[in-house]
Amino acid sequence: MLKEITIIPGNKKLYVTEGSNLLKSLQEKGYFINSPCSAMGLCGKCSIKIIRGHIPVRERDRALLSEDKLKENFRLACGVTVEDNIAITLPVQSEDIPLKETISGEHFIKTDSGIKKYFLSLSLPSSQDQRSDTQRIQDRLQTKLSFPLSILRKIPGMLRNNDFKVTVTVNGTVTVLDMEPGDRTEANYGIAIDIGTTTVVVYLLSLITGEEISAKSITNPQTPYGADVISRINYVHKNGESGLRELHDKIINGINSIIQELCWNNNISYKNIYKACIAGNPTMIQLFLGIDPSYLDKAPYIPVLRDVISFKSKEIGMKINPEAPVQILPSVSAYIGSDITAGIIATGLDRTKNLKVLIDIGTNGEIVIAYKNRIIACSAAAGPAFEGACIERGMRAQEGAIHKININNRAINFETFGNIPPLGICGSGLIDLIAALREMDIITESGKLTYNTSLPVSDRVGTIREKEKCFNIYKDIYVSQKDIREVQLAKGAIRAGIEILLRECDVTTEDIEHIYLAGAFGNFLKKESVKSIGLIPDIKSNKIKSVGNSAGHGVKLCLLNQNKLKQVQKISEKVEYIELSYSSVFNDEFIKQMSFPQQTGKRETRVIRRDA
């Protein structure tokens, strides 16, 4: 029997089978409901409000929702079985992620993508000139070409309907990708894609000038199935072929929706996008290609591919020219992916002789150290704390997220994306707050949240649940003791990785010339805050550089220049990978780095926004 679900506002009606899980039903109907824990009832992010109908309070609701929320009829959708007709409101969630590009340098890279367009005015056939259509084209270009069947089917009519004046698109003087009537040489575009676990970014570029025409980022559409790669691999374990197909379709459809929007906004036909270049961690790449990732979370952690590989877009289902090559950048291991090799080429780590460190801070933290002629990398399972997934009032870096915090006397000063009232706190704001509370000794070296009656803001320290302490920021937005522990786990893993790689190179923090902070999270970090909590070594602030989406910049370079693609392949072969999961040394260092550093002095404070 079918039951009716009414979405308010709008009175949109959905019909699902009685006994269905509410969260899964909403996701299947196309609603983006965040569930970083993959519907295991651990994160509390999928709360919905019951407007009409009775849904009993379950154990997971009591554990993760406040008493006020329960009284207002909020429930976790992952625990609701639809037994009757109900009306609900959904959480307000934006999929747009702020973009911040900060890498400078190779803006004027020579454009040599391999994709060329030629306008041909061909001689007409006659009784004296009976060459085939394809021979006529090849003679004019003075090269031997391969013609896909889809192009061969277009040739006879197009030539004769356009007086043998056509534009031919060729990939590397080898394969014909397209044929168009008249002179269409100016319409030559490519897309660079960074598939992150949390964020997907698509860049539209001219393959003639190298100009970035437009870009857009969204939350990875797979996020409701789990905040990290392990959760998504587990989803495939649990649901088999159908789960793999579901995750594959989600990312392909998400990317296609961005491409459609970019083309529409810039009056470009998707058929004139002749090349795509893609980077991402191995799990994201295998899901994108529809390859089972099940063996990436089992020792000895072997990916299916690690070299540069190319497909036709029609094989994958991407909404660009069907014959366009889709190139996947090379990875290093199961947990050092092509997003990192792209980041290496973007920051120039492969060309440095001095000690430089690249840290891509995300759900999985990757660390790369380059010194003299050596590049060493490791991966540290930081968990989703920095993305807001396992933080009680946490959220991703999107509209309404508190991303900067400063405590000035009695005032909590903050800034939100979009300058709207806060909906939650994202990773950079969380680190700012913990750094400030640590300096005030409201958070101890061990990470314990305490009262400090000598400070005016100590009255914001309260309790939740079974006397667990929390620090209130704004209305019902707070940071709990559990949240602080999550940050300690995340920062401890990353810092431990840094220290182990430094020892491997027989260097110290004093030898570091630069630390590059990359990734969507790294975009908005305050240098002093990350040093204060011990996420990175305490070096001079002018040695710390936020480089934005280094993976996105690197994949753009590879799209525009074939030599960069060859270079990134060599980088992937050169990188030495250290597997920390087997190391007892990592465990010892991890425990050591969970503590916060001792305070050596006070930072300058700056008022950002007054909490009125």
Side-chain angles (χ1 to χ4, degrees):
M1 182 180 296
L2 294 180
K3 296 298 179 182
E4 182 183 87
I5 302 173
T6 304
I7 309 294
I8 295 174
N11 288 323
K12 174 73 174 177
K13 297 187 184 302
L14 312 175
Y15 296 92
V16 303
T17 305
E18 183 178 359
S20 299
N21 178 269
L22 179 58
L23 175 63
K24 189 169 180 61
S25 297
L26 290 169
Q27 290 172 341
E28 288 173 350
K29 299 293 184 180
Y31 287 89
F32 187 91
I33 309 297
N34 197 17
S35 178
C37 68
S38 193
M40 296 177 66
L42 301 175
C43 68
K45 301 294 184 183
C46 64
S47 64
I48 48 92
K49 186 175 183 178
I50 310 299
I51 303 299
R52 187 172 61 250
H54 174 68
I55 301 294
V57 178
R58 291 171 169 79
E59 193 60 40
R60 64 178 64 183
D61 298 321
R62 295 189 190 283
L64 296 169
L65 298 176
S66 67
E67 285 298 325
D68 289 342
K69 289 288 187 182
L70 293 177
K71 288 175 183 176
E72 293 174 24
N73 268 344
F74 280 89
R75 302 288 186 270
L76 298 180
C78 64
V80 173
T81 302
V82 182
E83 304 287 1
D84 206 347
N85 298 334
I86 57 174
I88 62 174
T89 60
L90 303 180
V92 178
Q93 294 177 339
S94 167
E95 294 188 39
D96 286 328
I97 307 295
L99 280 175
K100 184 178 179 183
E101 297 296 331
T102 56
I103 289 183
S104 60
E106 299 188 66
H107 294 297
F108 302 102
I109 181 175
K110 180 183 177 183
T111 303
D112 180 20
S113 67
I115 308 297
K116 303 293 183 183
K117 299 191 81 169
Y118 303 94
F119 172 61
L120 307 180
S121 183
L122 302 171
S123 59
L124 276 61
S126 67
S127 57
Q128 287 76 38
D129 183 0
Q130 295 188 334
R131 289 174 296 166
S132 67
D133 291 342
T134 55
Q135 189 61 52
R136 196 173 303 275
I137 293 168
Q138 291 175 99
D139 289 348
R140 179 69 174 79
L141 292 175
Q142 298 182 345
T143 187
K144 183 73 173 174
L145 293 170
S146 170
F147 293 83
L149 179 58
S150 62
I151 303 299
L152 291 173
R153 288 170 173 165
K154 295 170 66 172
I155 288 177
M158 185 171 291
L159 289 177
R160 287 154 185 84
N161 292 335
N162 294 281
D163 198 27
F164 280 77
K165 292 180 173 62
V166 293
T167 298
V168 176
T169 305
V170 181
N171 179 16
T173 68
V174 175
T175 304
V176 175
L177 300 180
D178 199 9
M179 181 177 286
E180 301 165 275
D183 186 351
R184 294 281 294 159
T185 50
E186 81 292 345
N188 190 3
Y189 306 101
I191 54 171
I193 306 174
D194 171 24
I195 306 177
T197 310
T198 302
T199 307
V200 178
V201 190
V202 179
Y203 304 89
L204 175 65
L205 297 100
S206 166
L207 296 184
I208 300 172
T209 66
E211 173 194 5
E212 182 182 309
I213 297 166
S214 190
K216 182 177 174 61
S217 65
I218 62 169
T219 299
N220 189 318
Q222 299 169 343
T223 302
Y225 301 85
D228 52 43
V229 295
I230 300 302
S231 297
R232 294 180 207 172
I233 293 172
N234 286 338
Y235 190 82
V236 176
H237 285 320
K238 182 179 177 181
N239 296 280
E241 187 66 31
S242 65
L244 174 60
R245 185 169 55 252
E246 194 173 356
L247 291 176
H248 167 71
D249 290 346
K250 284 290 181 184
I251 190 62
I252 292 294
N253 292 338
I255 289 172
N256 283 342
S257 70
I258 303 176
I259 294 171
Q260 183 179 31
E261 182 176 337
L262 293 176
C263 288
W264 177 266
N265 290 342
N266 295 281
N267 196 26
I268 289 170
S269 169
Y270 72 88
K271 293 180 180 179
N272 290 133
I273 298 175
Y274 295 109
K275 185 179 180 182
C277 206
I278 298 176
N281 67 59
T283 301
M284 293 302 101
I285 294 299
Q286 290 191 200
L287 290 174
F288 169 77
L289 296 174
I291 298 172
D292 186 357
S294 295
Y295 300 100
L296 291 173
D297 69 340
K298 296 182 178 70
Y301 314 111
I302 305 300
V304 170
L305 62 149
R306 58 167 294 181
D307 297 321
V308 172
I309 192 165
S310 183
F311 305 90
K312 290 184 178 181
S313 69
K314 62 185 179 183
E315 294 180 81
I316 304 170
M318 284 182 64
K319 197 69 172 176
I320 60 177
N321 188 286
E323 299 295 334
V326 177
Q327 297 174 327
I328 310 295
L329 268 57
S331 62
V332 174
S333 70
Y335 292 99
I336 297 290
S338 53
D339 50 343
I340 302 306
T341 54
I344 291 172
I345 200 170
T347 53
L349 255 68
D350 57 311
R351 302 189 301 273
T352 187
K353 296 298 181 185
N354 299 326
L355 179 61
K356 294 182 179 179
V357 182
L358 171 64
I359 309 171
D360 195 318
I361 306 174
T363 307
N364 199 53
E366 293 91 3
I367 304 116
V368 182
I369 286 185
Y371 183 52
K372 294 183 177 177
N373 197 35
R374 194 177 181 193
I375 305 176
I376 310 177
C378 72
S379 172
F386 294 142
E387 307 290 354
C390 56
I391 304 303
E392 291 189 39
R393 294 296 181 262
M395 60 187 295
R396 293 180 295 278
Q398 60 193 36
E399 191 172 88
I402 296 173
H403 67 94
K404 289 182 181 178
I405 289 183
N406 187 279
I407 300 178
N408 186 9
N409 198 12
R410 289 181 176 275
I412 305 292
N413 309 300
F414 60 79
E415 185 176 297
T416 65
F417 289 120
N419 291 319
I420 65 172
L423 301 174
I425 185 168
C426 69
S428 58
L430 181 64
I431 285 182
D432 277 353
L433 179 64
I434 291 176
L437 296 181
R438 174 72 192 107
E439 288 179 2
M440 294 176 169
D441 289 324
I442 290 177
I443 293 177
T444 67
E445 187 177 341
S446 67
K448 186 178 179 181
L449 186 61
T450 63
Y451 294 99
N452 187 337
T453 54
S454 64
L455 296 170
V457 293
S458 63
D459 60 356
R460 289 178 177 264
V461 178
T463 58
I464 52 173
R465 291 184 294 274
E466 298 177 359
K467 298 183 179 180
E468 180 184 352
K469 287 187 175 65
C470 70
F471 184 89
N472 182 261
I473 304 168
Y474 176 87
K475 294 186 177 178
D476 65 343
I477 299 172
Y478 58 84
V479 170
S480 71
Q481 180 66 69
K482 176 179 174 293
D483 295 336
I484 296 168
R485 296 300 185 207
E486 292 289 350
V487 170
Q488 287 181 272
L489 290 169
K491 78 100 180 174
I494 290 174
R495 182 62 185 275
I498 295 170
E499 295 298 327
I500 289 172
L501 291 189
L502 289 173
R503 287 203 292 269
E504 179 69 23
C505 287
D506 195 24
V507 291
T508 66
T509 56
E510 286 76 21
D511 300 311
I512 297 174
E513 182 178 68
H514 287 302
I515 290 180
Y516 298 115
L517 299 177
F521 172 65
N523 279 347
F524 305 101
L525 288 173
K526 280 190 206 169
K527 299 174 184 179
E528 295 302 328
S529 293
V530 291
K531 287 196 299 180
S532 180
I533 71 165
L535 177 62
I536 64 172
D538 187 13
I539 64 174
K540 291 181 179 179
S541 293
N542 62 5
K543 292 185 175 185
I544 305 168
K545 298 182 180 297
S546 292
V547 293
N549 186 9
S550 61
H553 190 77
V555 78
K556 285 190 286 185
L557 295 178
C558 293
L559 172 76
L560 295 173
N561 191 285
Q562 298 177 88
N563 287 330
K564 289 294 180 183
L565 193 64
K566 294 175 184 176
Q567 189 178 338
V568 81
Q569 175 65 52
K570 291 179 180 178
I571 288 171
S572 71
E573 295 166 357
K574 180 179 179 179
V575 175
E576 304 171 47
Y577 175 62
I578 295 181
E579 176 57 70
L580 296 182
S581 61
Y582 294 127
S583 171
S584 60
V585 173
F586 172 75
N587 293 332
D588 294 340
E589 189 66 41
F590 170 63
I591 293 169
K592 174 183 172 183
Q593 296 299 339
M594 275 187 63
S595 297
F596 293 115
Q598 292 183 351
Q599 296 303 299
T600 56
K602 301 293 183 183
R603 287 186 297 161
E604 292 183 6
T605 59
R606 181 169 63 91
V607 175
I608 299 169
R609 174 185 166 193
R610 179 61 55 106
D611 172 10

